[in-house]
Amino acid sequence: MPLHQYGVLKGRPINRQLGSNQNAHYQVHIIDDTTDYRIAVNVKSQLAPSEVEYLVDAHFQHPVLAQLEALPVGWSQLASNPGGPALDFIRSNLFDPRKMVPLPLSINGPDNDLNEKIDQHIQRALSDENAVLYAFGERWGPEAGKKDKIFGFLPGNGVHDIHMNQANAGNFKQDDGVYQDGALLLNFPDQNQWVGIFLKFQSQTWHSDDQTGHRIEGGVSGPPSDNPNPPNPFEPGTTPTPEAPDGAVRIVAALVNPVKSPEIETVTLLNATAQPVDLAGWKLLDRDKNAMPLQGAIAAGEALRVTLIPPVVLPNKGGIITLLNADGLRVDGVSYTKAQASNPGYSVTF
């Protein structure tokens, strides 16, 4: 079943502790106006491989940021629905999954392990009195009469599961759900900068069921010896497959803010493969998961501009665009902000 109390904590970081093999969590002490919290960030997986995949976007942009700034400080429980501030690594188009790489929690040398990748941004926030941290995950506590075991405040209280929370393996499947992924976002208002820190276990897949969040396995026939080590489409040099179609067709541009009236919005698709792609059964989705069926085909290496038909719309205040194939698997997804859509008649490029 999904997480019991999913939401986001908004507050100021005042202390931190690195993860270790004895306690494989990077810990941060957070305060709001009245309450202390500890956030526990997994930096090692309990399932093999143990190295956690990460992506740090030092100039993160996404339409969800406007909603976060409007939240009060402290804990906010979130509905796991599209269109709101809840995060979904697969459906919210927060980042390009091809940019995630696995790292151990700690190894010798500078700036080469997960502790250090997270710590450099937390340390910066600790030294900036105007910085604000947003921790997405599951709430625990408050635990009456119990001190926090890391930072010693009363009562024990905090947020964990600050990582992808769907498409899990083994016993962790019970935590699956959609629009309930964890992450760290840091706002440095003096520099007008956001930093996004996203974590995923290698045992998790990049496709999940829209209702349950359970992993979708490839449906190919034949003995396992046919392909004992299937390619990972997120590693450099690999190519999309029917079971892992990610990137076969890319969303490369969108006309969000047309000048003609009535407005005609378009999305431009690029076939990145060496074969023609039949779009029968494919769909384009907007931020609220309104879907528009596609038709026709795109020749190898060619682009196709698609005119959008309501209810699929691209709001000028920011939105997301997702491309699904005939099997319902995500092939590509992008997001754009209000600022990117502010020039009438200009296409947003991705």
Side-chain angles (χ1 to χ4, degrees):
M1 63 186 296
L3 303 183
H4 297 291
Q5 291 192 78
Y6 174 70
V8 59
L9 171 64
K10 178 179 180 178
R12 281 276 304 123
I14 61 171
N15 199 1
R16 71 38 158 164
Q17 179 174 296
L18 300 179
S20 66
N21 286 318
Q22 290 71 40
N23 189 336
H25 293 83
Y26 182 98
Q27 317 276 1
V28 187
H29 186 178
I30 305 293
I31 58 170
D32 62 20
D33 292 336
T34 60
T35 308
D36 292 77
Y37 306 83
R38 170 167 58 93
I39 65 171
V41 184
N42 291 74
V43 286
K44 184 178 180 179
S45 174
Q46 295 183 35
L47 299 179
S50 64
E51 294 84 4
V52 174
E53 293 183 38
Y54 89 100
L55 183 148
V56 175
D57 186 342
H59 298 279
F60 180 63
Q61 297 183 71
H62 193 277
V64 74
L65 299 182
Q67 298 182 61
L68 298 184
E69 289 184 299
L71 291 176
V73 295
W75 171 257
S76 295
Q77 191 147 342
L78 300 178
S80 295
N81 297 321
L87 303 185
D88 190 299
F89 284 14
I90 297 173
R91 297 164 184 84
S92 298
N93 300 339
L94 299 163
F95 54 86
D96 185 344
R98 296 162 190 80
K99 295 181 179 179
M100 294 198 98
V101 294
L103 272 187
L105 72 90
S106 180
I107 54 177
N108 292 330
D111 193 29
N112 60 357
D113 61 50
L114 195 49
N115 267 326
E116 292 168 327
K117 296 296 184 183
I118 298 173
D119 196 53
Q120 61 179 300
H121 299 285
I122 298 298
Q123 290 280 22
R124 177 185 171 191
L126 291 172
S127 63
D128 182 345
E129 63 181 11
N130 293 321
V132 181
L133 184 147
Y134 297 78
F136 290 80
E138 183 174 42
R139 175 81 180 269
W140 87 79
E143 300 171 319
K146 294 183 179 180
K147 283 187 177 182
D148 182 78
K149 69 177 183 179
I150 302 297
F151 299 112
F153 57 80
L154 278 169
N157 179 43
V159 181
H160 68 139
D161 287 335
I162 303 174
H163 48 68
M164 186 175 178
N165 289 305
Q166 58 182 308
N168 282 295
N171 293 333
F172 296 101
K173 182 179 178 180
Q174 64 186 357
D175 296 330
D176 283 349
V178 297
Y179 291 98
Q180 59 158 33
D181 285 333
L184 291 180
L185 301 180
L186 296 107
N187 184 19
F188 298 96
D190 293 344
Q191 292 78 38
N192 191 27
Q193 180 185 0
W194 286 79
V195 175
I197 301 175
F198 306 100
L199 303 170
K200 170 190 170 291
F201 301 123
Q202 293 186 67
S203 56
Q204 294 169 314
T205 67
W206 272 114
H207 297 285
S208 72
D209 181 84
D210 259 352
Q211 303 302 316
T212 65
H214 295 328
R215 61 201 293 141
I216 295 177
E217 306 288 357
V220 294
S221 63
S225 57
D226 281 353
N227 195 3
N229 296 298
N232 178 356
F234 302 104
E235 291 180 355
T238 57
T239 57
T241 68
E243 298 74 44
D246 313 81
V249 177
R250 305 299 300 266
I251 302 169
V252 294
L255 180 57
V256 176
N257 189 2
V259 293
K260 294 182 178 180
S261 183
E263 291 191 347
I264 299 176
E265 299 172 335
T266 64
V267 171
T268 302
L269 306 177
L270 174 69
N271 178 1
T273 74
Q275 297 83 32
V277 173
D278 184 358
L279 296 178
W282 290 47
K283 296 177 182 178
L284 278 173
L285 277 61
D286 64 14
R287 179 194 63 185
D288 298 320
K289 294 185 70 67
N290 297 312
M292 172 186 156
L294 300 178
Q295 58 186 355
I298 313 178
E302 295 293 329
L304 174 69
R305 187 169 65 174
V306 178
T307 299
L308 298 185
I309 300 173
V312 173
V313 294
L314 304 179
N316 292 349
K317 292 184 178 180
I320 67 173
I321 312 167
T322 303
L323 178 65
L324 304 182
N325 70 6
D327 295 321
L329 300 180
R330 180 185 183 275
V331 178
D332 198 23
V334 296
S335 68
Y336 64 92
T337 65
K338 179 180 179 180
Q340 290 173 299
S342 62
N343 293 319
Y346 282 75
S347 292
V348 179
T349 58
F350 306 104

